């Protein structure tokens, strides 16, 4: 029998009120149980992701489970220093007091995770929430249903059910969850749904972390190593069928090297994928036929005017809707007004926009909503500095794509329409903590200066102005 959501929340609130989750011992024990859970259910997790996304065990282990194991190791090692009070200096006006900042748990947090990386994007925020001493409700995406079931079973088997629960279901369950008061909501998903979550949270004045997405651009300047650029772009385009919130969404290449770039990436594609991709175990599938059909509509464009704007197919173009297969596909010389340039693609399609110079590339980026990631390929440090200084994005990776997410010490998050707040490493702990300021003053009479209190004669006023 399924436990009602209201009952889950009521029981977890009891854990919050009892401060059951606050002790360092509880947090450490849960993180260690988390490690045991990943080991015990590794095969189950991998099989579930293969069912949902057709992803190979090697890729799932590399891009999800290994990242979680590194995050857990870091959290366990760093937790004593994370929870320790931080001393701060205080002015003479409050002598002889002391000041400190104490991180305290927020309370009960809700984590809403997506389907594209159903393990790491559900469990990584949970590591931060547990480290910070919170009670947690995880709501996995119903779209990746096999992964959702395994997550519910594994968490139920290994983690403290008095403080950590999984709620499965679809839109109805998510909608009901959002009617309740939480102390923080952590959402990963589309900008459209992010707005709905934000509006619901606002009704209860609940703070949120929104990990969204958008169109992450790639800029290729004339000094880029085109072979390295091509390899790394194709890696980003093919990994998980580019169903990644920080996947390269469109490419801006300086016309001076556009022809060489097209030639090089065509050669590299043949080297990286010598056999038919459809039969390759290294290549995933689109999540369902609905999303596949949406992506195919860009490939099968029938409107002549729109076809001219999209540009011709340089690489790829093969697909099978029933098999949820789309070959990595690159379009050359795409117009900025093309339909494919309007919204996040979230699939293995890459339009290439040609520009005259770096100024034009920077203007294209700045004319659009701030992206979750910006990728720059250049060997010119002055170009690197200009792009970093003159654009705004959640993150910048120079001469690579995607890999910044694998660096636990780098905060991950968006800006503007690509999201708010961040996590990973210490940033995760901070996201799920309140930094409580503490001023500890002496209660002795000798430390209670008379000039603080009225009536304020000239002498008291002089002293107060001097020291306050």
């Amino acid at each position: 029998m399924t436990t009602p959501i209201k009952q889950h929340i009521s029981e977890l609130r009891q854990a919050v009120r009892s401060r059951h989750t606050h002790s360092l011992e509880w947090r450490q024990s849960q993180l260690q149980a988390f490690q045991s859970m990943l080991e015990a259910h590794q095969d189950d997790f991998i099989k579930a992701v293969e069912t949902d996304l057709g992803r190979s065990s090697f890729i799932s282990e590399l891009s999800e489970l290994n990242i979680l194991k590194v995050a857990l190791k870091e959290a366990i090692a760093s937790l004593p220093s994370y929870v320790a009070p931080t001393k701060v200096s205080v002015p003479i006006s409050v002598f002889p007091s002391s000041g400190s900042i104490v991180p305290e748990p927020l309370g009960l947090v809700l984590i809403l995770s997506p389907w594209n990386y159903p393990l790491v994007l559900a469990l990584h925020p949970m590591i931060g929430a547990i480290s910070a001493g919170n009670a947690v409700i995880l709501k996995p995406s119903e779209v990746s249903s096999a992964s959702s079931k395994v997550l519910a079973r594994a968490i139920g088997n290994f983690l403290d059910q008095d403080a950590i629960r999984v709620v499965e279901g679809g839109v109805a369950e998510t909608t009901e969850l959002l009617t309740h008061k939480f102390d923080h909501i952590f959402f990963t998903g589309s900008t459209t749904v992010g707005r709905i979550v934000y509006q619901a949270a606002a009704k209860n004045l609940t703070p949120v972390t929104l990990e969204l997405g958008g169109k992450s651009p790639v800029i290729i300047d004339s000094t880029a190593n085109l072979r390295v650029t091509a390899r790394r772009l194709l890696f980003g385009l093919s990994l998980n069928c580019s169903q990644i919130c920080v996947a390269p969404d469109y490419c801006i290449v300086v016309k001076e090297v556009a022809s060489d770039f097209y030639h090089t990436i065509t050669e590299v594609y043949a080297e990286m994928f010598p056999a038919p991709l459809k039969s390759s175990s290294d290549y995933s599938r689109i999540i369902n036929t609905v999303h596949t059909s949406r992506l195919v509509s860009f490939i099968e464009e029938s409107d002549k005017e729109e076809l001219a704007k999209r540009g011709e197919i340089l690489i790829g173009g093969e697909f099978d809707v029933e098999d949820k297969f789309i070959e990595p596909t690159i379009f050359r010389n795409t117009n900025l007004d093309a339909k494919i340039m309007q919204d996040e693609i979230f699939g293995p399609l890459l339009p290439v926009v040609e520009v005259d110079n770096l100024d034009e590339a920077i203007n294209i980026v700045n004319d659009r909503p701030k992206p979750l990631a910006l990728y720059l390929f250049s060997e010119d440090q002055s170009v690197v500095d200009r792009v970093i200084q003159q654009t705004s994005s959640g993150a910048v990776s120079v001469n690579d794509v995607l890999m910044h997410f694998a660096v636990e010490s780098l905060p991950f998050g968006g800006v503007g329409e690509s999201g708010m707040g961040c996590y990973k490493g210490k940033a995760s702990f901070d996201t799920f903590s309140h930094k409580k300021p503490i001023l500890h003053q002496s209660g002795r009479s000798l430390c209670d200066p008379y000039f603080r209190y009225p009536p304020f004669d000239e002498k008291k006023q002089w002293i107060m102005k001097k020291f306050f």
Side-chain angles (χ1 to χ4, degrees):
M1 183 177 176
T2 304
T3 304
I5 288 173
K6 189 174 182 179
Q7 184 179 334
H8 279 304
I9 292 173
S10 176
E11 291 171 357
L12 292 173
R13 282 289 177 198
Q14 291 177 24
V16 171
R17 283 191 291 270
S18 70
R19 306 178 76 81
H20 172 65
T21 63
H22 284 219
S23 72
L24 178 60
E25 292 73 22
W26 182 88
R27 304 182 201 195
Q28 290 175 324
S29 70
Q30 291 306 296
L31 293 175
Q32 289 161 357
F34 212 126
Q35 288 180 315
S36 299
M37 177 185 77
L38 291 183
E39 294 296 335
H41 286 278
Q42 175 159 319
D43 290 344
D44 296 331
F45 284 135
I46 287 172
K47 289 176 184 175
V49 175
E50 183 179 7
T51 299
D52 289 327
L53 288 155
R55 195 195 300 154
S56 72
S57 60
F58 169 72
I59 297 297
S60 289
E61 188 171 351
L62 197 69
S63 63
E64 301 219 53
L65 295 175
N66 283 4
I67 289 175
L68 290 169
K69 290 173 183 177
V70 170
L72 279 165
K73 184 178 180 180
E74 169 68 20
I76 291 170
S78 302
L79 193 56
S81 65
Y82 288 173
V83 302
T86 302
K87 291 185 178 181
V88 298
S89 61
V90 296
I92 193 171
S93 59
V94 292
F95 179 84
S97 66
S98 62
S100 62
I101 299 171
V102 177
E104 69 173 9
L106 295 177
L108 175 59
V109 304
L110 171 64
I111 297 173
L112 302 170
S113 63
W115 52 261
N116 58 316
Y117 276 87
L119 306 180
V120 72
L121 297 182
L123 298 178
H124 204 304
M126 187 182 284
I127 293 170
I130 292 171
S131 298
N134 296 282
V136 182
I137 288 182
L138 169 66
K139 167 59 180 69
S141 171
E142 71 281 5
V143 178
S144 49
S145 57
S147 299
S148 177
K149 288 181 174 63
V150 174
L151 282 168
R153 185 170 73 251
I155 290 170
N157 288 342
F158 279 86
L159 301 186
D160 182 0
Q161 291 299 284
D162 289 337
I164 303 166
R165 305 278 178 90
V166 177
V167 172
E168 290 194 274
V171 174
E173 286 74 18
T174 302
T175 302
E176 183 181 348
L177 281 165
L178 290 173
T179 64
H180 292 277
K181 169 68 177 174
F182 289 90
D183 299 297
H184 195 90
I185 296 175
F186 190 106
F187 169 79
T188 304
S190 70
T191 302
T192 300
V193 180
R195 286 191 172 95
I196 295 170
V197 172
Y198 199 15
Q199 289 172 349
K203 293 177 181 178
N204 290 312
L205 293 180
T206 300
V208 298
T209 300
L210 300 178
E211 298 293 346
L212 306 177
K215 296 184 76 65
S216 294
V218 180
I219 298 176
I220 302 171
D221 93 326
S222 59
T223 68
N225 182 322
L226 294 181
R227 185 167 182 81
V228 170
T229 301
R231 287 168 63 87
R232 292 177 180 172
L233 269 179
L234 288 171
F235 163 78
L237 195 61
S238 61
L239 184 66
N240 204 44
C241 276
S242 207
Q243 296 168 112
I244 308 172
C245 58
V246 287
D249 191 276
Y250 65 101
C251 189
I252 307 171
V253 61
V254 176
K255 288 179 181 177
E256 180 183 343
V257 295
S259 179
D260 290 341
F261 169 70
Y262 292 141
H263 175 74
T264 302
I265 202 167
T266 302
E267 279 190 344
V268 170
Y269 183 89
E271 294 170 8
M272 287 179 64
F273 309 113
L277 263 181
K278 193 174 181 183
S279 58
S280 171
S281 61
D282 292 331
Y283 194 65
S284 304
R285 291 295 185 266
I286 307 299
I287 186 66
N288 55 38
T289 56
V290 173
H291 283 279
T292 307
S293 296
R294 176 184 63 83
L295 294 166
V296 166
S297 70
F298 292 117
I299 297 173
E300 283 200 311
E301 182 58 62
S302 57
D303 183 272
K304 289 185 179 180
E305 183 178 349
E306 186 56 42
L307 189 62
K309 291 179 181 179
R310 187 208 66 187
E312 67 181 38
I313 294 175
L314 175 72
I315 293 170
E318 297 295 321
F319 61 86
D320 183 335
V321 174
E322 292 306 311
D323 190 36
K324 298 173 288 186
F325 167 80
I326 296 181
E327 186 180 13
T329 301
I330 297 177
F331 305 103
R332 62 183 297 167
N333 199 15
T334 302
N335 190 293
L336 291 172
D337 294 330
K339 284 192 298 187
I340 199 169
M341 290 296 296
Q342 304 315 307
D343 296 307
E344 183 177 10
I345 297 170
F346 219 70
L349 312 180
L350 185 70
V352 179
V353 177
E354 298 178 16
V355 295
D356 292 322
N357 50 50
L358 184 63
D359 288 334
E360 189 177 349
I362 290 173
N363 287 336
I364 289 171
V365 173
N366 289 337
D367 284 342
R368 294 166 178 269
K370 297 176 181 179
L372 188 53
L374 184 152
Y375 303 115
L376 170 65
F377 287 86
S378 174
E379 295 300 314
D380 186 334
Q381 188 58 46
S382 66
V383 169
V384 173
D385 292 340
R386 277 190 63 197
V387 171
I388 291 174
Q389 293 166 8
Q390 296 180 17
T391 63
S392 179
S393 57
V396 174
S397 283
V398 180
N399 294 321
D400 212 340
V401 299
L402 306 181
M403 296 306 294
H404 62 288
F405 183 80
V407 181
E408 188 65 17
S409 55
L410 288 176
F412 182 85
V415 59
E417 289 190 24
S418 60
M420 61 181 69
C422 60
Y423 70 118
K424 292 184 73 69
K426 179 65 160 51
S428 288
F429 179 87
D430 291 341
T431 287
F432 292 105
S433 300
H434 166 59
K435 294 183 177 180
K436 183 195 291 184
I438 309 294
L439 181 69
H440 192 164
Q441 180 62 278
S442 171
R444 297 179 181 180
S445 297
L446 289 175
C447 300
D448 191 29
Y450 75 96
F451 52 79
R452 277 185 53 181
Y453 308 106
F456 295 111
D457 57 24
E458 288 187 9
K459 183 178 180 181
K460 286 185 179 180
Q461 289 183 35
W462 181 87
I463 296 172
M464 292 286 280
K465 289 177 182 178
K466 192 77 173 175
F467 295 104
F468 282 78

